[in-house]
Amino acid sequence: MTTASTPICVVGAGTMGRGIAQTALSAGHSVTLVDPQEAQLKAATDDIGTRLAKRQPAIAASLDSLLTTCTSMDLAPQHPNTVVIEAVLESLDVKAAVFTAAADHFGPQCILATNTSSLSVSEIAARSPLPSRVVGMHFFNPVPVMKLVEVVTGLQTDQQVADDIDTLAVAWGKTVARVTNAPGFIVNRVARGFYGEPLRLLQESVASPATLDAIIRGAGQFRMGPFELMDLIGNDVNAAVTRTVWTAFNFDPRFEPSRIQDELVAAGRYGRKRGHGFYSYADGATADAPAQVVAGALPGESIRRGDSPELDTLVERARVAVTREETALSARGELVLDGTVVVITRGRTARSESAERGGVPVVVLDRCISVASATGIAIASSHPEVLSTVAAMLERAGIAAHPVSDVPGLVLARTLAVVANEAWETTMHGVATPDDIDVAMMLGTNYPAGPFEWTRDWSRAAVLELLDALWSSYHDTRYRANRLLRD
Ligand code: NAD
């Protein structure tokens, strides 16, 4: 059992170690921080003191008695029920050595928690003298702010040990997602499509990074688009995580790294930290503007056919008076603006939607997380000259129309279908429950909704239809739909 009096030993005083130590101190624990580098210990103590002084001055004032620092595990106070949390560099050898020393120093009752992001918890356990006491405790950066902790059970982990770490994380104000050890756990696996699919769209010259980012922010309510996020994380770091997950899944095309990102890394364009990535951050650089369709005249005649809550909301937002009309062919929702048929993507191109309707102009709109609050959307047409009329209606609704090539599934629908498919695959593999996956994606990556939530909102059938349409266009196993989603 873990309580506020459980002694905590954090190993590694870098970015993560000092965040973990601060969080434990905030919750009332005595903490020992171990790092071979005196300078790191000094910097960590100063950092922790400054941050606590702002939020918890009483704890900051007692820091000398609550926080012990030492350059070697041998010097740490020897409580048998210590929870050791390692946040040393991402190396199996180094982590195994740390846990061997900790097991030797604290004895068989201690818990050995690893903050690894990409190594196997089962493999770290196998290299430790106390495999059943090893558990994953994966925090997110910055630790005191980010609410999520993935508690990872390796093949050898004692269930009670995982429960104790779960209790501890909750007592520290965190929300726990329980994970059975698998590459990337939940977040680093399910999020791969959020980068991988837009990178594919970029590779196919569907739109610029600025346009793709604007669509994902505007239609998806994501705080950042994938390209600005990759530049922030660092393309070197993001590409390395992708490659690790891809390798661990035996080169499954779902996780295939991007040539474009590899090329940026090769050129040293890591992103913000190097002043250049997908975007330039040089002094005086102007921000790339997303492409936008110039609105024309509003349509004279608007007809609504079939069932589509999304199109109903759109028409309502644009304050367009519509005539209802039903025909045998209009079971699928569509809006007809001066003879142009507007549909929400179901994974087919505007050209094929047009061909099915005898060649009438068709405009395909991307999906949104919520049409009611969208501020931008991807739009493609079989007849580009009709885009300006549809853009006029969207403009009246307060939604910017971003033109993209006429590709199956456009941008947000395609990206989120791929992310949702991986979420279903993760749950089918027994790695985590749908609820834990949704919570992990919302708290670990700030997604506006979890993948199971948007599957429910769009309907499973719609997500499946989109994936199957992508599969028939590309014949790429990347788009194979998960069996549970299909069932
Ligand atoms: P960091 O480089 O900032 O810090 C690592 C620290 O470990 C350094 O202070 C180093 O001196 C120390 N160290 C090295 N060998 C040691 C040893 N044998 N004993 C004790 N200390 C030792 O690294 P970080 O970003 O804090 O990452 C640490 C771990 O957390 C890694 O496993 C990483 O994958 C994981 N992680 C990082 C993030 C992140 O966003 N940075 C997020 C989640 C998990």
Side-chain angles (χ1 to χ4, degrees):
M1 206 177 71
T2 49
T3 65
S5 58
T6 299
I8 305 293
C9 176
V10 178
V11 190
T15 310
M16 296 303 283
R18 54 187 84 170
I20 297 166
Q22 183 192 327
T23 305
L25 287 160
S26 291
H29 293 266
S30 294
V31 175
T32 306
L33 187 55
V34 182
D35 197 297
Q37 295 190 48
E38 280 283 8
Q40 281 290 77
L41 289 172
K42 165 89 179 66
T45 308
D46 290 350
D47 256 15
I48 293 169
T50 311
R51 287 189 296 211
L52 281 176
K54 287 190 201 135
R55 293 185 197 100
Q56 287 167 299
I59 295 181
S62 322
L63 204 56
D64 284 351
S65 60
L66 293 174
L67 178 66
T68 308
T69 58
C70 36
T71 50
S72 161
M73 186 93 67
D74 300 343
L75 306 171
Q78 243 175 336
H79 303 290
N81 61 341
T82 298
V83 171
V84 179
I85 306 172
E86 73 73 21
V88 301
L89 48 133
E90 192 72 339
S91 147
L92 187 59
D93 287 344
V94 177
K95 288 184 192 297
V98 164
F99 279 175
T100 302
D104 187 42
H105 187 70
F106 296 109
Q109 291 312 312
C110 73
I111 290 181
L112 303 170
T114 170
N115 183 45
T116 182
S117 329
S118 63
L119 300 172
S120 159
V121 171
S122 302
E123 200 171 356
I124 296 173
R127 297 269 302 262
S128 130
L130 299 172
S132 67
R133 310 295 295 171
V134 173
V135 62
M137 190 178 194
H138 186 217
F139 290 88
F140 289 76
N141 188 21
V143 178
V145 177
M146 296 296 282
K147 285 271 171 236
L148 180 69
V149 174
E150 291 178 321
V151 173
V152 187
T153 310
L155 208 54
Q156 313 92 320
T157 307
D158 182 333
Q159 200 54 41
Q160 187 59 50
V161 167
D163 290 347
D164 286 349
I165 287 298
D166 189 326
T167 307
L168 191 67
V170 171
W172 292 3
K174 303 297 182 191
T175 302
V176 167
R178 293 291 286 255
V179 186
T180 302
N181 184 51
F185 310 138
I186 299 174
V187 173
N188 279 336
R189 170 182 183 172
V190 176
R192 299 279 37 96
F194 183 74
Y195 311 108
E197 207 51 35
L199 280 163
R200 274 179 85 100
L201 291 166
L202 184 65
Q203 188 89 63
E204 286 182 37
S205 307
V206 170
S208 69
T211 304
L212 294 167
D213 275 347
I215 292 164
I216 289 177
R217 271 189 270 105
Q221 292 163 22
F222 287 85
R223 285 188 210 166
M224 294 181 85
F227 297 98
E228 48 199 355
L229 190 52
M230 285 185 272
D231 270 3
L232 180 70
I233 293 168
N235 284 296
D236 52 335
V237 174
N238 189 267
V241 175
T242 300
R243 195 155 254 105
T244 305
V245 174
W246 181 54
T247 308
F249 278 104
N250 302 315
F251 311 105
D252 187 326
R254 284 229 263 252
F255 305 107
E256 192 179 324
S258 155
R259 273 299 319 143
I260 291 189
Q261 193 175 37
D262 284 349
E263 191 66 11
L264 284 182
V265 174
R269 292 193 176 179
Y270 293 174
R272 280 182 180 271
K273 60 189 172 190
R274 287 284 180 94
H276 208 155
F278 290 101
Y279 301 103
S280 169
Y281 302 92
D283 284 346
T286 47
D288 298 346
Q292 195 168 330
V293 181
V294 177
L298 278 166
E301 186 194 49
S302 310
I303 301 169
R304 267 284 291 112
R305 294 178 188 148
D307 181 35
S308 169
E310 291 93 344
L311 289 174
D312 289 338
T313 307
L314 192 59
V315 161
E316 214 171 281
R317 276 188 70 179
R319 289 165 283 119
V320 171
V322 292
T323 314
R324 286 290 320 187
E325 185 186 276
E326 304 307 334
T327 69
L329 284 173
S330 62
R332 283 179 182 280
E334 54 189 40
L335 173 66
V336 187
L337 303 175
D338 290 347
T340 295
V341 173
V342 181
V343 293
I344 307 282
T345 182
R346 53 177 169 138
R348 305 188 35 191
T349 61
R351 284 185 314 283
S352 73
E353 295 276 9
S354 169
E356 196 179 70
R357 291 169 174 81
V360 299
V362 171
V363 167
V364 177
L365 298 181
D366 205 352
R367 278 195 172 271
C368 302
I369 284 265
S370 151
V371 179
S373 39
T375 55
I377 196 165
I379 174 170
S381 181
S382 57
H383 297 66
E385 66 278 10
V386 302
L387 281 173
S388 61
T389 310
V390 180
M393 186 208 58
L394 289 167
E395 189 180 74
R396 234 170 98 110
I399 302 174
H402 300 295
V404 300
S405 304
D406 184 21
V407 284
L410 298 184
V411 178
L412 188 78
R414 178 165 158 165
T415 302
L416 296 197
V418 163
V419 172
N421 197 32
E422 196 55 48
W424 282 86
E425 188 88 350
T426 303
T427 218
M428 190 179 84
H429 288 181
V431 174
T433 64
D435 284 350
D436 277 3
I437 293 174
D438 273 2
V439 161
M441 300 316 288
M442 287 191 284
L443 298 182
T445 57
N446 285 323
Y447 281 10
F452 288 93
E453 197 181 333
W454 72 64
T455 309
R456 262 191 309 274
D457 288 352
W458 293 358
S459 87
R460 276 158 77 152
V463 174
L464 188 60
E465 184 181 35
L466 204 111
L467 288 165
D468 282 348
L470 288 168
W471 161 258
S472 13
S473 280
Y474 288 92
H475 292 285
D476 184 333
T477 53
R478 176 184 183 83
Y479 299 115
R480 67 190 190 275
N482 171 262
R483 183 180 58 72
L484 279 188
L485 179 61
R486 193 178 297 288
D487 288 352

